[in-house]
Amino acid sequence: MSAGSTGSFQSTTLEITTGNREVALDITDRCVAFLNERAPGRDGLLNVFVPHATAGIAVLETGSGSDDDFLAVLRDLLPADDRWRHRHGSPGHGRDHVVPGLVAPHATLPVLGGQLALGVWQSVVLIDTNGDNPRRTVRLSFLG
């Protein structure tokens, strides 16, 4: 983890291992820990950014099957077959490069009193369909 801050801007990077299969990984707890350390009691915005061409950030329900359903939808929309012009890596890897067009590589979330202002069932989720790259960087930035 690396850190940086300037005035009311706080930032850190997380190194996350996602493994060799597609994943919808709930990183809400990491966002909460960052805010508890860097923005206790403050109002502002948390930006979550993944600087990768084959991953994204989603806000969705997890743990009740919605995360698996989301990955299933991506598989249906973007099959891992030989239709893709981008052909390096695993068979069908070209689809992974289309994912950020559907799942943005960032999300900006409200923070009130140092707490994420998410809905009851919402979580911050790293979406990674690229089994060729098991390590991801996520940048958390608080402005407030």
Side-chain angles (χ1 to χ4, degrees):
M1 182 184 297
S2 65
S5 66
T6 305
S8 63
F9 180 80
Q10 302 283 324
S11 184
T12 195
T13 56
L14 309 172
E15 299 300 325
I16 298 175
T17 300
T18 56
N20 60 1
R21 61 182 183 82
E22 65 184 19
V23 63
L25 181 65
D26 187 340
I27 61 170
T28 308
D29 58 342
R30 293 171 174 126
C31 295
V32 168
F34 169 73
L35 292 170
N36 287 341
E37 179 184 325
R38 301 289 187 84
R42 294 172 60 193
D43 293 347
L45 296 172
L46 175 68
N47 182 264
V48 184
F49 175 71
V50 57
H52 297 282
T54 58
I57 300 295
V59 176
L60 53 97
E61 181 179 8
T62 61
S64 65
S66 297
D67 39 353
D68 291 331
D69 289 342
F70 189 81
L71 291 174
V73 166
L74 288 178
R75 281 192 301 275
D76 289 346
L77 290 173
L78 306 171
D81 58 22
D82 65 357
R83 75 183 67 204
W84 308 103
R85 290 181 186 97
H86 187 105
R87 294 186 185 267
H88 78 83
S90 301
H93 172 66
R95 77 155 188 147
D96 300 326
H97 287 273
V98 178
V99 166
L102 299 175
V103 183
H106 61 88
T108 301
L109 307 166
V111 176
L112 300 173
Q115 303 297 310
L116 277 176
L118 294 173
V120 173
W121 303 112
Q122 291 181 315
S123 297
V124 183
V125 181
L126 171 61
I127 303 296
D128 184 3
T129 61
N130 182 4
D132 291 344
N133 185 358
R135 300 217 18 101
R136 296 299 178 167
T137 299
V138 176
R139 175 164 293 283
L140 303 177
S141 301
F142 174 76
L143 179 62

